[in-house]
Amino acid sequence: MRTPPAAELLGVWERAVDLTPVERLLAVLAAADPDASWDALADLTIGERDVRLLAVRERLFGSAVAAVARCPACAERVELALDTDALRLAARPPHGVDGASRDALVVDVAGHVVHLRLPTSVDLLAVSATADVEVASRTLLARCVVAAHHGDVPIGGDALPEPVRHAVVARMAEADPAGDVELALVCPGCGGRWHVVFDAGAFLWSEIDAWALRTIDDVHVLATAYGWSEADVLALGPRRRRQYLALAEARLA
Ligand SMILES: [Zn+2]
């Protein structure tokens, strides 16, 4: 893995208008790992993908993660100081799921035996055009059921009774917890406690979006002040860029 070069990351950001959120994140991973094929990246489980996204995030923006949540009871704004290490620890499977077992999970509940695999970006892409969330989640689950039996009778992944579906979803979350990192929060205002899901992909993308807008702003200021090209500005190290920006802004003031 490498730090995606600024020009490439800006390119990913620009192309993202034509991409789904799932594809955007794959494009970020591809920029950080040019040797990996798109298919190999798309075949990572969502948890594996998110662990990699956290590593990309560390390289781009450091390990400190500042997030904001709102207390559901009293609407107090709660600032969270997290770091990527803690998020990775929260994301670790309790019993470890390796490549061999991620495709061989078994749920045995209420007389139903279900063999399943963990969802990947390929599965998310397959349902990304489905507007109805309930239909999308049923389709996703059915895709991940390798085989299911009630007693000796085989049943389709889309025909599992409700309690069995719940058990399947719970088993997936347990086996691939990075896809579903929950944070336990306490409100400093009212003492209320609640949980939020930390979505590493959405969080990183919002940071890349803000970074791209800031970068374009910097290019605009420096190109105007010095006649430099975008490539010239992007080639500057962060300290030199800050210094030139300060000089350009002092001159404009
Ligand atoms: Zn509160």
Side-chain angles (χ1 to χ4, degrees), residues 71 73-76 187 189-192 194:
C71 172
C74 73
E76 170 108 359
C187 174
C190 72
W194 79 104

Side-chain angles (χ1 to χ4, degrees), residues 66-234:
V68 174
R70 213 164 265 287
C71 172
C74 73
E76 170 108 359
R77 193 182 132 97
V78 182
E79 287 179 9
L80 310 173
L82 307 164
D83 66 71
T84 41
D85 277 341
L87 290 167
R88 248 199 303 270
L89 277 181
R92 187 170 295 166
H95 313 298
V97 173
D98 56 31
S101 59
R102 66 169 240 196
D103 294 330
L105 300 171
V106 182
V107 170
D108 186 344
V109 64
H112 291 73
V113 178
V114 184
H115 294 262
L116 57 133
R117 61 177 179 80
L118 292 171
T120 67
S121 295
V122 177
D123 299 306
L124 294 186
L125 286 170
V127 301
S128 63
T130 309
D132 186 319
V133 176
E134 177 68 15
V135 174
S137 84
R138 279 178 178 272
T139 310
L140 183 69
L141 192 143
R143 285 177 62 89
C144 295
V145 171
V146 178
H149 289 81
H150 184 216
D152 292 333
V153 184
I155 47 174
D158 52 357
L160 299 174
E162 192 68 15
V164 179
R165 291 205 310 128
H166 277 296
V168 166
V169 170
R171 183 72 188 97
M172 284 175 171
E174 182 195 35
D176 198 29
D180 196 13
V181 172
E182 275 206 347
L183 304 173
L185 304 186
V186 180
C187 174
C190 72
R193 290 166 186 274
W194 79 104
H195 287 83
V196 290
V197 172
F198 180 80
D199 183 336
F203 188 83
L204 176 59
W205 185 259
S206 70
E207 288 187 312
I208 289 174
D209 193 41
W211 166 86
L213 296 174
R214 275 198 315 275
T215 301
I216 288 171
D217 207 50
D218 291 356
V219 170
H220 169 71
V221 171
L222 294 178
T224 307
Y226 298 104
W228 294 338
S229 70
E230 183 187 73
D232 293 337
V233 175
L234 295 181

Side-chain angles (χ1 to χ4, degrees), residues 12-29 38 42 46 49 53 120-131 201-202 205:
V12 169
W13 174 80
E14 187 173 27
R15 287 196 305 280
V17 286
D18 298 321
L19 302 179
T20 63
V22 177
E23 290 169 323
R24 279 174 206 171
L25 297 176
L26 289 175
V28 171
L29 287 184
W38 183 271
I46 302 311
R49 178 199 73 175
L53 288 171
T120 67
S121 295
V122 177
D123 299 306
L124 294 186
L125 286 170
V127 301
S128 63
T130 309
W205 185 259

Side-chain angles (χ1 to χ4, degrees), residues 1-5 8-9 12-13 15 19 21-60 120-121 200-201 204-205 208:
M1 182 173 281
R2 62 169 187 169
T3 307
E8 270 185 50
L9 196 58
V12 169
W13 174 80
R15 287 196 305 280
L19 302 179
V22 177
E23 290 169 323
R24 279 174 206 171
L25 297 176
L26 289 175
V28 171
L29 287 184
D33 198 349
D35 294 332
S37 72
W38 183 271
D39 287 347
L41 294 172
D43 197 41
L44 296 169
T45 71
I46 302 311
E48 290 169 341
R49 178 199 73 175
D50 285 0
V51 167
R52 285 199 193 202
L53 288 171
L54 283 174
V56 176
R57 198 281 177 180
E58 239 165 45
R59 285 172 170 271
L60 288 173
T120 67
S121 295
L204 176 59
W205 185 259
I208 289 174

